[in-house]
Amino acid sequence: MSESPQPSTSVLHRRWAKLENEHHQLAAEIDSARARGADLESMRKGQARLLLEINALVAEIRDAPATTTEDFLALLDVAVEHELDLAPDIAFYGPADYPMISRLFRALARMAPEFEFNSLRRWLSSPGQFEQLMGDAACVRREGIGPSNQLHCRIDFSRSKPV
């Protein structure tokens, strides 16, 4: 009997992104329910189960095979969320305070425009924050390139430097 191959990092990353999005949605629902004075016990139990599942998946990602660019981008995205806490810092202070990592993220986003930096997208949720960090690459992914090969996106680059 043969052992089934371990899923790649990028495959696990897609599951992780779904669970993280679900967790952040549940956290928002808990905050809303708390404000209404609702009973939070069942929601908190669901949140605890979800966090255990996320932590187990992060451990699996840590040991999963990584060979493709998408695999390594997935590792970076999970590390930004679970090892560095970088995404909330960028959201709070802004990309201008992180010029080297901002440059790196913009370059990576241009190299792999189909890759979704879930941790950054979630944390940089105020209008324009994610686009400011990712620059033109975020516009291409979101809006596409028009027939005249011009970007259909407006970004305030006053606080960020181009790559």
Side-chain angles (χ1 to χ4, degrees):
M1 196 167 173
S2 67
E3 199 175 301
S4 63
Q6 185 177 12
S8 71
T9 302
S10 58
V11 168
L12 295 171
H13 175 264
R14 286 188 281 280
R15 285 184 20 215
W16 170 83
K18 184 178 180 233
L19 290 174
E20 283 288 351
N21 290 342
E22 189 178 326
H23 175 256
H24 283 269
Q25 174 79 28
L26 181 56
E29 290 171 11
I30 289 171
D31 285 345
S32 177
R34 182 183 310 114
R36 293 188 316 272
D39 181 24
L40 304 177
E41 185 177 349
S42 67
M43 294 175 88
R44 289 283 187 202
K45 285 180 181 178
Q47 185 179 39
R49 280 191 302 275
L50 194 53
L51 287 171
L52 288 172
E53 191 174 347
I54 289 169
N55 287 336
L57 189 54
V58 168
E60 195 175 343
I61 289 169
R62 191 178 303 122
D63 297 329
T67 56
T68 67
T69 300
E70 188 177 358
D71 288 337
F72 289 108
L73 290 170
L75 279 174
L76 177 61
D77 194 30
V78 174
V80 162
E81 180 81 16
H82 289 275
E83 290 186 353
L84 303 173
D85 278 339
L86 183 60
D89 287 346
I90 293 172
F92 183 76
Y93 296 108
D97 283 357
Y98 298 89
M100 290 184 288
I101 197 73
S102 295
R103 179 179 173 198
L104 175 63
F105 281 128
R106 281 192 295 274
L108 292 171
R110 278 198 305 274
M111 290 171 61
E114 71 287 348
F115 185 81
E116 181 68 36
F117 286 95
N118 189 274
S119 61
L120 296 170
R121 171 92 48 206
R122 223 178 319 98
W123 280 99
L124 283 78
S125 59
S126 293
Q129 272 188 318
F130 183 79
E131 291 77 10
Q132 183 183 9
L133 174 66
M134 293 303 195
D136 291 346
C139 296
V140 172
R141 181 172 36 257
R142 190 182 74 235
E143 303 289 342
I145 299 280
S148 62
N149 289 333
Q150 293 179 334
L151 294 173
H152 299 279
C153 177
R154 289 190 207 119
I155 300 175
D156 176 12
F157 287 105
S158 63
R159 291 188 40 114
S160 63
K161 296 178 183 176
V163 178

